[in-house]
Amino acid sequence: MAAMRAARLIKMVLLLQSRPSMTAAELAAELEVSERTITRDALALSEAGVPVYADRGRTGGYRLIGGYRTRLTGLARDEAEALFLSGLPGALRDMGLEDTASTARLKLAAALSPALKDAPRSAAQRFHLDAPGWYQEPRTPELLAPVAEAVWDDRPVGARYRRPDGEVTRELEPYGLVLKAGVWYVCARAGGSWRTYRVDRFTAVELRAGHFVRDPEFDLPSFWAERAAEFARSLLRAEVTLRLTEAGARRLAHVTDRAAAEEALAAAERDAEGRLTATLRVEDEEVAYGQLLALGPEAEVLAPETLRERFARAARGLAELYGEPRPRRPQR
């Protein structure tokens, strides 16, 4: 409790140093305590020699007098690391680093010259990153916090992981966390090989004693890019032969995997009518049907025959649906 109060007092000083004055309500909201606690903390700071002055009245508040500036603005390692994630407020909160990043931002603001005091707010009002995709309810994995702690501290973990064929036990050296489209992944070394795990599939995580020696050659962005590309390629297990108009060729990358579309178009052959015949890699016929249906008459499926027949049935159904004009409603 004493450590928590000391951290809060430091944070209060940094807040007052970064702004001309703050009301008790504003300080209480920032520090997530009551206004009564703010009054006690201000008194404690004053008794400790920090010149906190209280302006009375409805428009009053707390401020530092005499140009007081604290020297407690040096960033600790964890604060400096968290500062680089400040553009990901949701991710910081999910990993349990929100308070650390907040203190780091306050220290940075306190160290800025008066002319730059509004820089953090100015940037925050102009740029914001919202990682999850549309129509997805972001869910924080229950065990994300201990996994994040292990990643930050280079701590090995014992974990139970849920797979389609049942749970398995793994000893992991977690190197990095990746947030992809609202889903958390951990990149780890297990038994000398590199693996990627979905954090929401961990059913138990236990931090082991000691620390593992991090491979200095490991580069998280490069590792993830390579694995993500491998994963995307592994999904494309079937092929579809298409005849495309120019409009269909332009739109193909917007309805299917972009890399697969570009590869198909690069190897396509043009017929006498100017249409392109291309072989496209897809996940399966069901997925291809949903994707290529969006191209309408700009794409003709040539093979496989089962998919072509399905499009033919869809075309007949659409012709029946739209072929006859709808009867007019009688006017009243």
Side-chain angles (χ1 to χ4, degrees):
M1 293 294 292
M4 290 178 61
R5 190 188 185 205
R8 189 177 69 243
L9 292 174
I10 292 173
K11 199 169 181 180
M12 183 174 175
V13 174
L14 292 171
L15 281 168
L16 293 174
Q17 184 172 315
S18 62
R19 305 180 193 181
S21 68
M22 295 183 70
T23 66
E26 290 172 337
L27 285 167
E30 287 279 358
L31 300 175
E32 298 181 349
V33 295
S34 67
E35 292 186 34
R36 186 183 296 273
T37 299
I38 294 299
T39 301
R40 290 198 298 265
D41 285 353
L43 180 60
L45 287 171
S46 181
E47 291 175 348
V50 178
V52 177
Y53 181 78
D55 291 315
R56 304 298 179 184
R58 294 178 58 187
T59 59
Y62 292 93
R63 58 187 175 89
L64 296 175
I65 61 176
Y68 178 86
R69 298 187 65 81
T70 176
R71 296 184 179 181
L72 298 174
T73 53
L75 292 178
R77 181 178 180 84
D78 59 342
E79 294 168 345
E81 291 171 336
L83 189 60
F84 285 99
L85 296 173
S86 290
L88 297 166
L92 284 167
R93 181 183 61 253
D94 294 345
M95 290 188 291
L97 297 171
E98 191 172 28
D99 287 343
T100 301
S102 175
T103 301
R105 288 192 296 269
L106 283 172
K107 287 185 176 181
L108 180 60
L112 293 174
S113 66
L116 299 177
K117 290 295 185 185
D118 66 335
R121 175 175 172 79
S122 176
Q125 291 302 317
R126 286 166 172 79
F127 301 100
H128 177 70
L129 175 62
D130 187 6
W134 289 106
Y135 313 115
Q136 295 181 6
E137 185 66 28
R139 296 181 180 177
T140 303
E142 293 183 5
L143 298 173
L144 177 60
V147 173
E149 182 181 349
V151 168
W152 283 113
D153 293 341
D154 295 340
R155 295 277 298 278
V157 301
R160 291 190 62 79
Y161 188 74
R162 186 178 65 254
R163 300 195 313 190
D165 57 346
E167 287 191 355
V168 295
T169 301
R170 293 287 184 266
E171 293 293 324
L172 306 176
E173 295 178 353
Y175 268 62
L177 282 164
V178 175
L179 178 59
K180 170 71 172 179
V183 179
W184 284 96
Y185 299 85
V186 61
C187 304
R189 188 162 54 183
S193 59
W194 297 99
R195 296 283 187 271
T196 302
Y197 301 89
R198 281 185 59 144
V199 178
D200 59 1
R201 292 181 182 169
F202 285 118
T203 59
V205 172
E206 181 180 349
L207 274 67
R208 303 301 193 204
H211 304 269
F212 63 84
V213 179
R214 179 174 285 265
D215 184 351
E217 300 298 321
F218 178 80
D219 181 74
L220 181 59
S222 299
F223 174 82
W224 177 256
E226 181 180 339
R227 289 305 171 93
E230 289 177 0
F231 177 73
R233 287 194 298 269
S234 71
L235 293 177
L236 307 179
R237 298 182 293 269
E239 289 186 346
V240 173
T241 304
L242 302 169
R243 185 179 289 128
L244 299 160
T245 65
E246 288 293 340
R250 287 195 301 270
R251 293 172 52 195
L252 186 62
H254 297 287
V255 299
T256 65
D257 179 81
R258 178 173 295 274
E262 292 174 351
E263 180 182 320
L265 293 175
E269 297 181 357
R270 191 177 299 275
D271 61 20
E273 298 177 356
R275 293 183 297 180
L276 294 172
T277 300
T279 300
L280 176 72
R281 293 185 296 119
V282 295
E283 290 186 42
D284 53 41
E285 288 190 20
E286 184 67 30
V287 173
Y289 176 75
Q291 292 174 334
L292 298 175
L293 197 61
L295 296 180
E298 310 301 335
E300 177 189 358
V301 174
L302 303 178
E305 189 63 31
T306 52
L307 185 59
R308 180 178 174 84
E309 291 175 358
R310 188 170 180 180
F311 271 91
R313 290 195 299 272
R316 289 192 294 270
L318 288 171
E320 292 176 5
L321 184 62
Y322 293 101
E324 297 294 331
R326 296 177 62 182
R328 284 189 172 185
R329 292 182 179 181
Q331 294 183 353
R332 294 182 180 179

